[in-house]
Amino acid sequence: MPQFPRDNGLDATLALLKDPYRFISKQCRAYGADLFETRLMFRKTICMTGPEAARLFYDQSRFVRHGAMIGRIQKTLLGRGGVQGLDDAAHRHRKQMFMSLMMPGRIEGLIATTAEEWQARARLWAQKDEIVLYDELHELLTRAACAWAGVPLPEAQVRQRTREITALFDAAGSVGLKHWRARWARKRANHWIENVVAEIRSGQICPPVESAAYVIAEHRGLNGELLSPHVAAVEVLNVIRPIVAVGVYITFVAHALHHHPDCRSKLEAGDDGSYPEFFVQEVRRFYPFFPAVAALVRSDFDWMGYRFPSGRRVILDLYGTNHDARTWDSPEAFQPERFREWDGSPFNFVPQGGGDHNANHRCAGEWITIELMKQASDFLTRRIRYHVPEQDLRIDYSRLPALPQSRFIISRVR
């Protein structure tokens, strides 16, 4: 039985933090393999990349999620007790709650609400010399997400709640003071939504019965009991936070439009009804979003001659899989038309996880992401005009989430 290629260092945590999106694929190329073993936070970890590795990773008979996520991510980005850390029947039951929120009519409602926010923000942008698009998107999407989810957001609290929600993903991979601020933001956000859940259950507020806040507040687990206030709050935030985080992708939409004027021209023309989807899918494939996901080996098994021992942490490289040359011709080129021929595999294109939406840990909000990005593409090409001043638009891959250095500045909005 072959041995895993092994990282010879004592611990690879710092190397991963310096280049979270490309660390695994670089190491795999160096070893000439799709996997290797290293230590992260001094814990033995198997790192994998590629479509076959993704197919293995989403085999739920082989892996579990409970206890797999790195602690600092759990305490900021995800929260404790949420669907991401559940397995088997408990996961399927909770996941169906989220899937019930993703009906086409409900998504159309979110897009309509977000369109109003785009118009309102654009009027404000037109009064300023310039704006930082990434920063502006936070409030725009927070307002839309809360309105759609049935979470009251008094005007006096908008800035505070926007900062808290943004910190959950914008500082998730940080260290030092920024990490502790994100931890504090998680506590404040949880407390806020716990109060909302309590008010829904007591009848003090009555959001629409199809809204996320109402559905989650009234959801009962397999034991027939309501979710605890804490877990219900985590799950409501698991609806709101990812919508606000789509601002990362929208910033990359603007980046792609600037660097690929031919794409802008095709979107402006509107001649090909399929092209907007090809464009946003290529943004999701090409640009970095979330670098990797983690699981634990359920019980000993062999794969490709390698032994995976029970309890071993395994990390799947999302960014590298989306850039795998075995799947994608010229993977470092931005080519939306490639999606005309994409085979639709749930394992070679995994920007928000792989596998089946209902059964696996693939993001339930993937359709929302795509529609919000298509809306942003339309708005930035056909609804407003703007100038892109000189700035540093290089992607900072050491940041989590990665962003252009300037966070994309625009001026002369009209």
Side-chain angles (χ1 to χ4, degrees):
M1 181 172 292
Q3 296 293 312
F4 284 102
R6 283 185 169 81
D7 190 332
N8 292 325
L10 180 63
D11 186 87
T13 304
L14 290 179
L16 177 65
L17 290 175
K18 287 180 180 178
D19 197 0
Y21 293 93
R22 299 176 294 192
F23 169 75
I24 294 176
S25 58
K26 283 182 177 178
Q27 293 295 94
C28 284
R29 284 195 297 272
Y31 293 126
D34 282 352
L35 75 178
F36 66 95
E37 189 173 71
T38 187
R39 288 182 183 270
L40 296 174
M41 303 295 289
F42 299 102
R43 180 175 177 176
K44 284 186 177 182
T45 302
I46 298 168
C47 299
M48 307 193 302
T49 193
E52 291 307 312
R55 188 181 301 276
L56 171 69
F57 185 86
Y58 285 99
D59 181 346
Q60 295 185 90
S61 70
R62 302 273 180 88
F63 296 97
V64 296
R65 295 300 182 95
H66 181 70
M69 185 53 66
I70 294 172
R72 65 176 53 249
I73 301 295
Q74 191 80 49
K75 294 171 184 176
T76 53
L77 181 71
L78 303 179
R80 293 191 176 278
V83 66
Q84 299 93 340
L86 300 179
D87 296 296
D88 304 325
H91 171 257
R92 292 190 294 272
H93 183 72
R94 187 83 60 84
K95 187 67 176 290
Q96 286 307 306
M97 176 188 73
F98 282 96
M99 296 300 290
S100 73
L101 304 172
M102 302 302 157
M103 298 296 102
R106 292 291 297 136
I107 296 176
E108 289 170 7
L110 172 60
I111 297 305
T113 299
T114 309
E116 296 175 3
E117 296 299 333
W118 272 106
Q119 294 289 349
R121 300 307 293 182
R123 288 191 290 269
L124 294 175
W125 299 344
Q127 300 170 24
K128 300 180 179 181
D129 292 335
E130 64 181 33
I131 59 102
V132 179
L133 181 62
Y134 176 66
D135 296 345
E136 290 288 324
L137 289 168
H138 296 157
E139 184 174 318
L140 185 163
L141 292 167
T142 296
R143 288 176 179 272
C146 288
W148 180 75
V151 172
L153 185 61
E155 189 64 30
Q157 296 182 19
V158 170
R159 290 190 177 182
Q160 174 191 342
R161 300 310 183 191
T162 297
R163 286 195 301 269
E164 291 168 357
I165 293 168
T166 301
L168 301 183
F169 64 87
D170 192 62
S174 61
V175 295
L177 182 59
K178 192 174 181 181
H179 169 74
W180 287 104
R181 286 176 177 167
R183 293 270 292 271
W184 178 242
R186 166 59 69 176
K187 290 182 180 180
R188 290 178 65 89
N190 279 354
H191 181 69
W192 164 42
I193 302 298
E194 284 176 24
N195 287 337
V196 170
V197 169
E199 290 172 352
I200 293 171
R201 289 174 175 174
S202 67
Q204 291 176 263
I205 59 174
C206 300
V209 295
E210 72 275 11
S211 68
Y214 185 88
V215 169
I216 294 170
E218 298 299 320
H219 178 75
R220 294 181 182 272
L222 289 174
N223 59 6
E225 297 181 0
L226 294 171
L227 301 177
S228 73
H230 172 80
V231 171
V234 166
E235 299 297 39
V236 172
L237 288 168
N238 273 334
V239 172
I240 295 173
R241 167 189 51 76
I243 293 174
V244 181
V246 174
V248 176
Y249 270 142
I250 294 174
T251 301
F252 285 135
V253 163
H255 191 275
L257 291 172
H258 178 66
H259 285 283
H260 303 280
D262 58 317
C263 296
R264 172 180 282 277
S265 297
K266 291 175 182 177
L267 289 165
E268 286 176 343
D271 296 332
D272 183 347
S274 299
Y275 189 78
E277 177 130 358
F278 298 155
F279 174 76
V280 302
Q281 293 289 52
E282 181 67 347
V283 170
R284 295 172 71 227
R285 185 201 68 82
F286 181 82
Y287 285 98
F289 186 62
F290 200 71
V293 287
L296 300 179
V297 176
R298 186 184 289 267
S299 58
D300 293 359
F301 71 89
D302 297 336
W303 181 74
M304 304 288 285
Y306 296 102
R307 169 55 59 94
F308 284 68
S310 176
R312 184 63 47 85
R313 176 184 281 161
V314 176
I315 292 181
L316 175 68
D317 173 23
L318 301 181
Y319 179 78
T321 300
N322 291 334
H323 287 251
D324 194 306
R326 292 168 296 186
T327 299
W328 309 102
D329 292 335
S330 304
E332 300 308 320
F334 188 85
Q335 299 174 348
E337 287 82 357
R338 71 172 78 244
F339 278 92
R340 291 189 190 277
E341 306 300 328
W342 176 50
D343 63 7
S345 167
F347 303 112
N348 60 25
F349 180 50
V350 290
Q352 291 174 267
D356 178 75
H357 288 91
N358 288 285
N360 293 120
H361 284 264
R362 188 172 189 144
C363 179
E366 193 166 11
W367 297 287
I368 283 177
T369 300
I370 292 168
E371 293 305 315
L372 286 173
M373 291 174 69
K374 287 163 64 176
Q375 179 185 50
S377 302
D378 179 73
F379 200 85
L380 293 172
T381 57
R382 305 178 67 181
R383 310 300 173 187
I384 64 171
R385 290 290 180 263
Y386 57 89
H387 175 68
V388 181
E390 192 71 25
Q391 59 190 285
D392 189 350
L393 288 173
R394 293 173 300 169
I395 306 300
D396 181 1
Y397 285 91
S398 67
R399 192 185 192 280
L400 188 61
L403 286 170
Q405 295 277 2
S406 63
R407 305 194 307 283
F408 209 87
I409 299 167
I410 62 174
S411 62
R412 305 206 298 263
V413 176
R414 60 189 188 280

